[in-house]
C-alpha cells in the first residue's frame, strides 16, 4: 500500500459518507460538530465555508435543452491548525481528509471513526447510504528515464501510425466490483519540474446500497481501503516502487 513507502506519493486521502437523514438538515450541526468532545482538539483552526456549484440540464418535449449552473448548498470545513487535516460537512454528507504528508492508515482511521460517531451524535441519521474511499497520488519520474510502461501498468494505448511523442493524456475508467462497489481510476499527465514528468493516479472506491447501520460502516471502509491498496499496487511496477522507496 502507498503508506508503506518511504516517499509515498499520496497528496490527499479522503473518506466520504452520505447519510439517510434522521431529521431535517440544520445549519447549526456544523457548530455542534466543531465543539463535539471527541474531535474538537483535532480541528482547532478557523472554520471556513466551501462553496459548491451545481450544474443542471433541463429538457422538455416542446422546448430545447437548457444548461444552468447555480450555487448549491455550501459545506463547512473544520481544519487543523496547519490545514493538513480537515472535515467537510454539508447537507447529509461528511468527509474526512488528510493532505500530504500522509501519516498512515493507523492514524487516519481513528479520525474517520471519531468523526462518524460525532456526526451520529449531532445529526442522528438513519444509516449511511454511500461510502467513498479515495486516494489521490502525484508521481514524478525523471524525464531522461521516462517510458510509461516501465512504471505503470495502466498506460494509455499507442496505436500504429500515431506520432511517437505524446504531450499529454487523461484516462478515466469505471469498474464494477462485487458487493455494490464501484472503482473509478483516473490516470493523467500533470505539470512537473522541467527535469521530470508528472502523473496523477487517482483511485476512488465507493459503496452504495440500502442504509447501513453505523456499527457496520467502518467494516465497509476497511474493505474499500483494502481494495484501494490492491489497486494501487496493480497499477505500478517495481521501477515506480524504487522511486517511492528512494
Amino acid at each position: 500500500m502507498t503508506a508503506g513507502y518511504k516517499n509515498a506519493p499520496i497528496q490527499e486521502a479522503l473518506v466520504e459518507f452520505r447519510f439517510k437523514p434522521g431529521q431535517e438538515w440544520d445549519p447549526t450541526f456544523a457548530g455542534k460538530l466543531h465543539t463535539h468532545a471527541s474531535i474538537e482538539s483535532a480541528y482547532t483552526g478557523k472554520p471556513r465555508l466551501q462553496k459548491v456549484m451545481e450544474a443542471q440540464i433541463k429538457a422538455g418535449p416542446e422546448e430545447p435543452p437548457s444548461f444552468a449552473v447555480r450555487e448549491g448548498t455550501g459545506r463547512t470545513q473544520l481544519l487543523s491548525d496547519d490545514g493538513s487535516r480537515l472535515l467537510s460537512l454539508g447537507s447529509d454528507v461528511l468527509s474526512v481528509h488528510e493532505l500530504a504528508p500522509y501519516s498512515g492508515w493507523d492514524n487516519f482511521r481513528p479520525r474517520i471513526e471519531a468523526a462518524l460517531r460525532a456526526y451520529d451524535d449531532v445529526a442522528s441519521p438513519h444509516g449511511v447510504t454511500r461510502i467513498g474511499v479515495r486516494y489521490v497520488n502525484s508521481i514524478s519520474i525523471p524525464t531522461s528515464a521516462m517510458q510509461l510502461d516501465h512504471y505503470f501498468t495502466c498506460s494509455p494505448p499507442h496505436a500504429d501510425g500515431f506520432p511517437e511523442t505524446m504531450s499529454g493524456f487523461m484516462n478515466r475508467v469505471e469498474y464494477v466490483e462485487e458487493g455494490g462497489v464501484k472503482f473509478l481510476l483516473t490516470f493523467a499527465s500533470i505539470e512537473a519540474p522541467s527535469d521530470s514528468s508528472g502523473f496523477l493516479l487517482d483511485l476512488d472506491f465507493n459503496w452504495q446500497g440500502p442504509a447501513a447501520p453505523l456499527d457496520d460502516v467502518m467494516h465497509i471502509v476497511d474493505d474499500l481501503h483494502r481494495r484501494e491498496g490492491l489497486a494501487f499496487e496493480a497499477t505500478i511496477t517495481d521501477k515506480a516502487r524504487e522511486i517511492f522507496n528512494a
Side-chain angles (χ1 to χ4, degrees):
M1 294 185 182
T2 49
Y5 294 106
K6 182 179 177 181
N7 297 300
I10 299 168
Q11 294 301 299
E12 181 176 10
L14 67 98
V15 175
E16 182 184 83
F17 303 104
R18 293 186 179 271
F19 300 92
K20 182 178 180 180
Q23 56 183 304
E24 185 177 353
W25 173 255
D26 186 337
T28 65
F29 287 167
K32 293 176 181 177
L33 189 68
H34 195 201
T35 58
H36 194 279
S38 64
I39 65 170
E40 63 176 345
S41 62
Y43 304 99
T44 53
K46 183 178 180 181
R48 65 189 181 195
L49 183 64
Q50 178 188 38
K51 292 184 178 180
V52 176
M53 304 305 294
E54 297 178 348
Q56 186 176 35
I57 298 176
K58 294 182 179 181
E62 299 180 357
E63 60 183 48
S66 62
F67 179 80
V69 178
R70 66 182 180 86
E71 186 173 319
T73 304
R75 293 191 185 187
T76 300
Q77 293 184 331
L78 309 181
L79 293 86
S80 61
D81 281 337
D82 62 1
S84 65
R85 301 176 179 182
L86 61 97
L87 298 184
S88 181
L89 177 68
S91 179
D92 304 316
V93 59
L94 173 74
S95 56
V96 188
H97 305 246
E98 181 164 335
L99 307 181
Y102 180 60
S103 64
W105 184 245
D106 288 344
N107 293 316
F108 189 32
R109 187 187 188 281
R111 288 184 44 237
I112 298 165
E113 186 166 17
L116 180 65
R117 296 299 177 184
Y119 182 91
D120 184 42
D121 287 346
V122 167
S124 302
H126 289 324
V128 177
T129 58
R130 186 184 186 279
I131 303 168
V133 173
R134 182 179 180 186
Y135 279 74
V136 181
N137 301 277
S138 177
I139 301 170
S140 292
I141 294 173
T143 302
S144 60
M146 213 283 289
Q147 289 190 30
L148 279 180
D149 57 0
H150 287 183
Y151 296 88
F152 303 100
T153 63
C154 54
S155 301
H158 187 84
D160 290 340
F162 280 20
E164 288 297 322
T165 303
M166 184 189 309
S167 61
F169 68 90
M170 187 185 80
N171 282 356
R172 183 172 174 85
V173 187
E174 180 176 314
Y175 301 93
V176 178
E177 298 195 348
E178 61 181 11
V181 174
K182 288 185 178 181
F183 167 35
L184 281 71
L185 169 66
T186 303
F187 182 47
S189 55
I190 57 176
E191 290 188 5
S194 58
D195 60 346
S196 63
S197 297
F199 302 95
L200 169 75
L201 185 59
D202 185 339
L203 308 173
D204 185 357
F205 281 81
N206 64 79
W207 168 91
Q208 191 166 346
L214 268 291
D215 287 344
D216 294 343
V217 168
M218 289 306 298
H219 297 297
I220 300 173
V221 170
D222 286 334
D223 178 60
L224 296 178
H225 176 258
R226 178 189 62 82
R227 295 179 192 234
E228 182 280 330
L230 294 174
F232 178 79
E233 292 298 330
T235 60
I236 61 172
T237 70
D238 286 342
K239 274 189 170 293
R241 295 182 182 98
E242 289 175 6
I243 293 176
F244 306 150
N245 280 323

